[in-house]
Amino acid sequence: MALAFDEFGRPFIIIKEQEQKTRLRGLDAQKANISSGKAVARILRTSLGPKGMDKMLQSPDGDVTITNDGATILEQMDVDNQIAKLMVELSRSQDYEIGDGTTGVVVLAGGLLEQAERLLERGIHPIRVAEGYEMASRIAVENLERISEKFDFGLSNIEPLVQTCMTTLSSKIVNRCKRSLAEIAVKAVLAVADLERKDVNLELIKVEGKVGGKLEDAELIYGIVVDKDMSHPQMPKKIEDAKIAILTCPFEPPKPKTKHKVDIDTVEKFQTLRVQEQKYFDDMVQKCKDVGATLVICQWGFDDEANHLLMHRNLPAVRWVGGVELELIAIATGGRIVPRFQELTPEKLGKAGLVREKSFGTTKDRMLYIEHCANSRAVTIFVRGGNKMIVEETKRSVHDALCVARNIIRNNSIVYGGGSAEISCSIAVEAAADRYPGVEQYAIRAFADALDSIPMALAENSGLQPIETLSAVKSQQIKENNFYYGIDCNDVGTNDMREQNVFETLIGKQQQILLATQVVKMILKIDDVISPTDY
Amino acid sequence: MAIDRIFKDEASEEKGERARMASFIGAMAIADLVKTTLGPKGMDKILQSTGRGRSVTVTNDGATILKSLHIDNPAAKVLVDISKVQDDEVGDGTTSVVVLAGELLREAEKLVAAKIHPMTIISGYRMAVECARNALLQKVMDNKEDEEKFKSDLMKIAKTTLSSKILSQDKEHFAKLAVDAVLRLKGSTNLESIQIIKKPGGSLKDSFLDEGFILDKKIGIGQPKRIENAKILVANTAMDTDKVKIYGARVRVDSMSRVADIEAAEKEKMREKVQKIIAHGINCFVNRQLIYNFPEELFADAGILAIEHADFDGIERLALVTGGEIASTFDNPESVKLGHCKLIEEIMIGEDKLIHFSGVELGQACTIVLRGASHHVLDEAERSLHDALCVLSQTVNDSRVLLGGGWPEMVMAKDVDELARKTPGKKSHAIEAFSRALVAIPTIIADNAGLDSAELVAQLRAEHQKEGCTAGIDVISGSVGDMAQLGISEAFKVKHAVLLSATEAAEMILRVDEIITCAPRKRENRM
């Protein structure tokens, strides 16, 4: 083991307390890593595609999450194994970068690992395998570029965008009303998109959910919805043409940050202090009133007296609004966030056409709608659903759809879905493999096989014969030299993904292949695993 | 080399068939648990809390039962959640929604055992829901135009809702209470303004609706017990020691005489505050916070009725009924809106003294005083009344009404059955299963009433083949009866919500093929 000797022949210890550590080396290490990577991929495999199943996750606190979003499943899974953690990271980075395809990327990585295992058994050096994969991934990405199509859309023609979002949503539980949700997502993205720069700031889209009602009640609000109500029950519930003062200072007596004491030792001092205090509240409210605000939104709380003064001066106010929401309100209404009362000026006020309070259900559940804002660049998607889990899952699904719409606006190339892109890449990689001399050829071929694992999983989940279906589609693609034949998951009767309107974004697919290859390369390069044994 | 574990210690994973079975069984267990409370002859449950005191609740409200259960099965949690949502959203039908979801899963389990893919079942269920919904929409009755009829509809709904609860003996009485209370709200769904006061003693029949407002507080000593044409100031302000709120202020003095000075100043300050309040020209002062003896004495001297420590809800309601605003500063007496009422007096209910405000300006709020033999009865009565009030307030907004007694289920089942016959493919099995699940509800109602459910449901089904049938299960006489004549109605909104959320939940559970449970967080044992 890890024993070394110095020049006097005395052994010295390289790893601290090495007897207590388990250690795997060489092929064993690689195989163990591969099999744990595969185990993670196996969990997600059944969630792929429109007929994919969901997973139910119970958190340490007993909360239940039901989802088929790869990133969410892995995140909540309480994974201990190091390699499994890498896979979790993989799915997360796909989520951050693209937002969709988080399941696919893990399944692909699983496929690559499985193929690599076979090559290792044949005695091919892991680095050669990794290099072969690298080459193959380049071929595949180029092929994707080749088969991609440009999408024309504009503000008037949102149909292609809607179709793409529908492809994403069709694998989720919300696929019952995917049409309406896809439209909402696309409209939301277009509302905040900067088409000139081809950029979308998803932070401007807020997804709010509330249990109750049904999925169909989801709506897009051109404005902000805040889960708060007016600070005083008797303030008006509806304000038109509101001028909003957005404050981050509390309506409370001042609290200097330095440590101090105010000593009261005479009656006069007591009285001055009292007068001072009253004046302070009065001043605060007066300042807001002076600049012409008709609504105050504050990040902090109000003192009872201040609250009444606000009410008294007919100045509705909302308290305890979170920082993120405050920013959104500031963006939407074109106002500035004001940290001190002294700095309030009329220019810093935000403007909104309509602010109203809306109540839900039979309990005291109210939300504040801020609509018709000066700057309509912030929107809210408001999701309803029969129970908490549905609402959460819908929020995640809408997030995926938003990401997809954003990706298309950034880069309007698409590829066809339903596994057709993977099959086409697999054919291209397979064909290219023969041109490479050396051991890498095998690795490249293995890569092509791994690409097949995605359409294979799709077919499996849809209850089709995986091998039969895949080979039929593959031969069809080669015969007709068409790259839009995929797996007919919904049993529509045609393999033509163009007819079925199943699209995915080009960058999403490219990213999947690149990320999966990278992680697999990393795993293959590990030949020594040192882990502390259980204490 | 096989890896032994990916998950952390104690985290477990269930796959495929096992996972599905775990969730089916969990969900069905929950449904069976509340099943026996369904319908007018449903039984109650006793819940004993594990907390200190081992307090006991007797109820037949589905949401209340499920809320107090400690459940470990994740699928069961989904059902508990839909019941909770149903409670928040429409207030009634909390049992039905769980039972229907349970039945849907029970049927789905059979189909899965017959090797039909869950996704196929889901798509069949979806078609069936759509069809059932349309069937309901077609048969719905709307009497919004005709006020008389609408009111009688409301009465019927209230009676139907109450008939399955403890109040069923006096349902006429309570239905009238509830309808009157809700009609006063004039379309708002804010049930906050209906106050329910529970006073043990007397019988349920002695419960009454009071048009005014009753505050469960005592009048200060030496203050008038009866005020006519009261001007009320509703306040939320400190009337104990009025602190200096500026941070870091403290009193530091060097001699006893100084202390006395400051104390005097404090007193003076309070006196001034009281003077300011009195300057509003009021004769009644209600504060949310405490009123100490000193200010109370001052109020008594001025002949003002001062009520301390009315809670938040009380204050808000009082402000609502009297039309005053909740004040915290008193510098501008001319612009503060005062509340008014004709008469304030102290009344006795049972042993307790309460303050009664009558002849209030805004008639929105009202108070229902519940009387009953024990706390358990009162609590259950309150829950039942709350259900009825919720349903009624929702019905006022959405006035569509259906018949009750299993009628809507049979209407839906009939249409869904027809759809099943027309649909080719495996889906039709799922659609058929959906209709069976719907029929299970009248079956359970009949079973709970000790009737021959197989016989009755079959008769009912035959009846429903006729056009314009209004037949349902008449539990009282134990036969198939005409629901329109018996006056058994249900709100469309409730049934609609039951149908949709039950299917959504069933769908969700069906889609699951793997359960991953994290190790429960360790808690120190506090016992």
Side-chain angles (χ1 to χ4, degrees):
Chain A
M1 287 284 279
L3 271 189
F5 299 91
D6 63 6
E7 64 250 59
F8 306 108
R10 284 180 304 215
F12 59 71
I13 292 161
I14 297 173
I15 303 168
K16 215 173 148 191
E17 292 169 2
Q18 69 173 339
E19 298 79 50
Q20 281 155 40
K21 294 200 166 108
T22 50
R23 193 162 172 207
L24 285 171
R25 305 184 67 182
L27 207 53
D28 276 348
Q30 271 139 2
K31 283 209 178 143
N33 291 343
I34 286 173
S35 74
S36 45
K38 267 162 57 189
V40 174
R42 222 174 14 240
I43 293 175
L44 288 194
R45 200 181 158 90
T46 52
S47 287
L48 199 71
K51 291 278 162 79
M53 305 294 278
D54 289 3
K55 308 278 174 257
M56 194 184 265
L57 303 151
Q58 199 169 16
S59 78
D61 295 327
D63 295 331
V64 177
T65 313
I66 299 180
T67 181
N68 88 7
D69 180 52
T72 315
I73 300 173
L74 291 177
E75 206 138 308
Q76 306 231 342
M77 227 164 54
D78 210 6
V79 166
D80 202 22
N81 186 293
Q82 313 85 350
I83 300 301
K85 274 185 188 151
L86 273 183
M87 302 292 265
V88 174
E89 282 293 317
L90 167 69
S91 154
R92 199 178 293 158
S93 55
Q94 173 83 8
D95 194 27
Y96 287 156
E97 191 59 27
I98 305 297
D100 187 34
T102 50
T103 315
V105 68
V106 176
V107 174
L108 183 59
L112 286 172
L113 286 172
E114 198 173 331
Q115 296 297 332
E117 193 177 14
R118 261 179 236 163
L119 295 177
L120 292 180
E121 265 168 19
R122 290 200 194 169
I124 299 180
H125 194 273
I127 299 290
R128 306 295 288 271
V129 177
E131 268 163 22
Y133 275 4
E134 180 66 40
M135 285 175 205
S137 74
R138 242 177 283 141
I139 301 168
V141 168
E142 272 162 29
N143 181 60
L144 282 176
E145 195 90 46
R146 188 176 64 78
I147 64 168
S148 70
E149 283 177 17
K150 290 278 176 203
F151 235 15
D152 281 325
F153 63 90
L155 287 177
S156 49
N157 177 24
I158 59 167
E159 191 55 29
L161 285 174
V162 173
Q163 291 289 354
T164 320
C165 287
M166 273 166 68
T167 308
T168 303
L169 290 176
S170 63
S171 67
K172 316 276 176 191
I173 192 162
V174 294
N175 67 5
R176 178 151 53 95
C177 39
K178 59 180 172 188
R179 175 87 214 172
S180 60
L181 279 178
E183 270 170 21
I184 286 174
V186 170
K187 279 185 193 149
V189 168
L190 284 178
V192 302
D194 187 344
L195 290 177
E196 299 276 293
R197 285 196 305 122
K198 293 197 168 181
D199 193 27
V200 184
N201 185 0
L202 283 187
E203 303 240 309
L204 296 178
I205 303 176
K206 197 166 157 240
V207 185
E208 268 285 337
K210 191 126 219 160
V211 285
K214 50 186 185 294
L215 281 178
E216 283 85 346
D217 295 340
E219 54 179 338
L220 175 68
I221 295 147
Y222 289 98
I224 309 285
V225 177
V226 192
D227 197 354
K228 289 277 176 295
D229 52 1
M230 294 290 182
S231 64
H232 197 289
Q234 285 164 318
M235 283 175 179
K237 308 281 181 227
K238 193 173 161 191
I239 305 156
E240 278 171 24
D241 291 321
K243 289 198 181 113
I244 307 171
I246 306 161
L247 298 171
T248 52
C249 42
F251 275 91
E252 269 167 18
K255 275 187 196 165
K257 300 230 166 55
T258 45
K259 258 205 155 161
H260 70 289
K261 290 259 156 53
V262 183
D263 282 348
I264 303 171
D265 49 8
T266 58
V267 175
E268 290 75 46
K269 268 194 187 167
F270 181 75
Q271 271 157 356
T272 15
L273 215 53
R274 214 182 92 208
V275 174
Q276 191 76 40
E277 188 185 287
Q278 271 176 351
K279 196 165 158 312
Y280 190 80
F281 283 132
D282 233 26
D283 277 356
M284 285 192 298
V285 179
Q286 196 53 46
K287 277 205 184 98
C288 299
K289 200 75 191 167
D290 281 347
V291 293
T294 54
L295 174 68
V296 177
I297 291 180
C298 184
Q299 195 176 7
W300 301 100
F302 299 166
D303 191 272
D304 279 344
E305 277 181 41
N307 202 359
H308 175 247
L309 279 175
L310 284 169
M311 157 76 195
H312 200 79
R313 302 271 174 89
N314 208 357
L315 193 58
V318 187
R319 57 182 155 184
W320 296 123
V321 178
V324 184
E325 280 146 2
L326 212 63
E327 263 173 44
L328 276 177
I329 294 173
I331 294 170
T333 59
R336 294 270 295 278
I337 298 177
V338 183
R340 260 183 288 272
F341 289 102
Q342 289 80 2
E343 286 165 22
L344 264 177
T345 54
E347 303 84 62
K348 287 181 180 169
L349 296 182
K351 288 176 190 61
L354 178 67
V355 178
R356 65 197 165 96
E357 203 182 83
K358 197 175 168 188
S359 54
F360 295 95
T362 58
T363 44
K364 208 171 145 190
D365 238 354
R366 303 202 188 97
M367 291 189 115
L368 199 68
Y369 283 56
I370 303 174
E371 289 172 297
H372 308 299
C373 301
N375 175 4
S376 66
R377 297 224 95 146
V379 295
T380 306
I381 297 176
F382 189 56
V383 174
R384 309 295 312 271
N387 57 50
K388 206 168 68 210
M389 296 102 194
I390 288 247
V391 171
E392 288 303 313
E393 177 68 358
T394 313
K395 271 160 95 173
R396 280 190 290 269
S397 312
V398 168
H399 169 254
D400 282 9
L402 289 175
C403 291
V404 168
R406 175 196 60 181
N407 293 342
I408 296 194
I409 287 173
R410 275 196 191 154
N411 178 353
N412 64 349
S413 319
I414 52 109
V415 290
Y416 290 97
S420 64
E422 282 86 357
I423 297 174
S424 156
C425 285
S426 155
I427 295 170
V429 172
E430 183 91 50
D434 297 338
R435 286 200 294 278
Y436 282 88
V439 184
E440 282 86 2
Q441 197 186 88
Y442 279 83
I444 296 175
R445 239 180 242 139
F447 192 92
D449 285 343
L451 278 172
D452 284 344
S453 63
I454 287 192
M456 194 96 91
L458 275 179
E460 243 169 68
N461 292 345
S462 316
L464 303 168
Q465 290 288 337
I467 296 173
E468 244 168 64
T469 321
L470 181 59
S471 48
V473 172
K474 215 170 190 177
S475 71
Q476 211 174 354
Q477 276 211 10
I478 294 177
K479 222 184 286 165
E480 299 179 28
N481 198 17
N482 254 339
F483 44 80
Y484 41 75
Y485 287 117
I487 306 288
D488 177 20
C489 296
N490 285 327
D491 210 15
V492 182
T494 170
N495 282 337
D496 193 339
M497 288 299 133
R498 205 194 295 196
E499 248 171 66
Q500 286 203 19
N501 283 329
V502 179
F503 313 115
E504 280 175 78
T505 55
L506 171 67
I507 37 176
K509 267 273 125 56
Q510 283 180 334
Q511 202 60 235
Q512 269 187 356
I513 292 181
L514 290 175
L515 282 175
T517 317
Q518 262 176 37
V519 167
V520 170
K521 267 170 63 188
M522 194 148 104
I523 295 177
L524 284 177
K525 280 187 178 164
I526 301 170
D527 77 333
D528 198 344
V529 180
I530 303 165
S531 49
T533 30
D534 298 331
Y535 23 88
Chain B
M1 243 201 88
I3 43 120
D4 12 66
R5 50 187 327 125
I6 312 175
F7 300 113
K8 280 199 183 123
D9 307 328
E10 286 178 61
S12 66
E13 191 193 2
E14 307 233 20
K15 289 193 149 188
E17 286 302 306
R18 276 180 62 96
R20 209 166 281 139
M21 202 153 78
S23 45
F24 281 154
I25 288 175
M28 280 190 286
I30 290 291
D32 287 343
L33 186 77
V34 291
K35 200 160 112 176
T36 52
T37 63
L38 199 70
K41 291 278 165 81
M43 303 302 276
D44 291 3
K45 309 263 176 237
I46 287 188
L47 307 165
Q48 190 173 29
S49 80
T50 48
R52 208 179 308 159
R54 309 259 157 195
S55 65
V56 170
T57 317
V58 184
T59 183
N60 112 351
D61 180 46
T64 314
I65 300 173
L66 294 178
K67 242 184 269 178
S68 13
L69 290 177
H70 296 285
I71 300 168
D72 210 26
N73 187 300
K77 279 191 184 148
V78 176
L79 287 199
V80 173
D81 197 59
I82 55 169
S83 161
K84 239 184 258 171
V85 172
Q86 177 84 8
D87 195 24
D88 291 347
E89 194 63 16
V90 281
D92 194 26
T94 51
T95 314
S96 324
V97 69
V98 176
V99 173
L100 183 58
E103 288 304 323
L104 284 173
L105 287 172
R106 198 189 302 275
E107 293 296 335
E109 192 197 12
K110 285 181 209 156
L111 294 178
V112 170
K115 297 277 178 268
I116 293 180
H117 196 271
M119 286 294 168
T120 319
I121 304 177
I122 289 173
S123 61
Y125 276 8
R126 278 189 185 160
M127 286 171 71
V129 161
E130 208 43 51
C131 167
R133 190 150 114 197
N134 289 337
L136 278 190
L137 279 171
Q138 270 172 22
K139 295 283 172 103
V140 85
M141 286 163 277
D142 195 344
N143 286 330
K144 193 154 197 115
E145 308 305 316
D146 191 342
E147 209 167 295
E148 268 309 299
K149 260 194 177 154
F150 182 52
K151 201 171 169 188
S152 85
D153 271 353
L154 285 182
M155 272 306 271
K156 281 184 206 161
I157 291 175
K159 269 192 273 181
T160 313
T161 307
L162 291 172
S163 65
S164 65
K165 319 270 173 183
I166 197 167
L167 300 176
S168 63
Q169 293 304 315
D170 311 299
K171 62 182 176 197
E172 284 284 337
H173 182 62
F174 281 99
K176 201 167 161 345
L177 278 187
V179 171
D180 282 350
V182 167
L183 283 180
R184 291 173 74 90
L185 291 177
K186 299 189 183 68
S188 122
T189 53
N190 189 2
L191 292 180
E192 298 277 306
S193 37
I194 300 177
Q195 187 193 18
I196 300 180
I197 289 183
K198 296 175 280 184
K199 284 283 162 210
S203 75
L204 281 173
K205 258 214 176 70
D206 299 335
S207 309
F208 60 94
L209 174 84
D210 196 281
E211 308 231 324
F213 179 78
I214 293 177
L215 199 61
D216 196 353
K217 286 282 168 265
K218 290 196 182 60
I219 295 178
I221 300 155
Q223 290 165 347
K225 298 271 186 255
R226 184 187 157 91
I227 296 177
E228 280 179 49
N229 286 329
K231 289 188 205 118
I232 308 163
L233 179 64
V234 187
N236 175 14
T237 184
M239 289 302 266
D240 35 11
T241 45
D242 206 356
K243 303 177 273 296
V244 176
K245 283 174 189 157
I246 292 172
Y247 184 73
R250 61 171 182 178
V251 179
R252 169 172 277 183
V253 287
D254 45 17
S255 70
M256 281 307 284
S257 62
R258 288 280 172 78
V259 179
D261 284 350
I262 286 176
E263 207 188 329
E266 243 173 35
K267 236 180 184 168
E268 194 53 41
K269 185 180 168 193
M270 183 51 75
R271 193 191 302 278
E272 255 174 49
K273 192 167 181 180
V274 173
Q275 287 308 332
K276 271 190 211 156
I277 292 170
I278 295 172
H280 285 70
I282 52 162
N283 46 21
C284 174
F285 176 72
V286 184
N287 192 13
R288 189 181 72 79
Q289 299 174 25
L290 286 174
I291 304 178
Y292 268 25
N293 291 356
F294 176 63
E296 191 176 337
E297 183 196 320
L298 291 177
F299 281 124
D301 286 348
I304 290 177
L305 170 63
I307 302 163
E308 64 167 7
H309 214 231
D311 50 21
F312 252 117
D313 287 348
I315 282 286
E316 276 185 27
R317 276 198 204 107
L318 193 60
L320 199 68
V321 280
T322 59
E325 69 176 37
I326 302 173
S328 296
T329 55
F330 309 100
D331 291 326
N332 309 303
E334 60 291 337
S335 61
V336 172
K337 250 168 72 191
L338 296 178
H340 294 280
C341 81
K342 289 253 164 53
L343 180 68
I344 302 176
E345 59 183 340
E346 202 174 52
I347 53 164
M348 299 271 287
I349 298 179
E351 295 260 287
D352 295 314
K353 285 181 189 160
L354 303 162
I355 306 169
H356 181 233
F357 297 77
S358 56
V360 288
E361 265 182 7
L362 301 169
Q364 272 206 6
C366 56
T367 305
I368 295 176
V369 180
L370 286 179
R371 307 299 311 277
S374 74
H375 277 291
H376 304 304
V377 172
L378 283 176
D379 286 347
E380 178 64 1
E382 187 192 359
R383 275 191 293 273
S384 317
L385 200 58
H386 174 256
D387 280 6
L389 290 175
C390 286
V391 175
L392 289 175
S393 70
Q394 297 291 338
T395 319
V396 170
N397 287 338
D398 181 350
S399 60
R400 288 173 289 181
V401 176
L402 294 167
L403 293 180
W407 178 83
E409 282 83 7
M410 293 311 287
V411 168
M412 289 190 274
K414 185 183 156 218
D415 277 31
V416 173
D417 252 344
E418 258 162 46
L419 176 73
R421 260 174 257 150
K422 278 183 244 155
T423 314
K426 278 190 247 181
K427 275 181 212 161
S428 83
H429 291 290
I431 301 174
E432 237 176 285
F434 193 93
S435 116
R436 275 201 299 277
L438 284 171
V439 175
I441 291 205
T443 314
I444 294 168
I445 294 180
D447 276 340
N448 285 347
L451 304 172
D452 185 353
S453 61
E455 170 70 22
L456 274 180
V457 171
Q459 274 183 22
L460 197 55
R461 192 198 296 262
E463 281 288 321
H464 271 263
Q465 291 305 319
K466 293 179 203 151
E467 202 52 40
C469 163
T470 52
I473 291 185
D474 179 4
V475 175
I476 311 300
S477 70
S479 62
V480 171
D482 186 343
M483 291 295 123
Q485 260 174 27
L486 289 168
I488 297 177
S489 299
E490 276 178 88
F492 169 73
K493 205 166 169 194
V494 174
K495 271 279 145 336
H496 190 233
V498 166
L499 183 69
L500 287 183
S501 0
T503 331
E504 248 171 44
E507 208 174 278
M508 206 156 187
I509 294 173
L510 265 175
R511 280 175 67 101
V512 171
D513 76 334
E514 180 155 339
I515 302 174
I516 297 167
T517 317
C518 296
R521 206 172 292 254
K522 292 271 185 298
R523 291 204 180 83
E524 315 96 275
N525 204 353
R526 285 199 208 101
M527 299 297 275

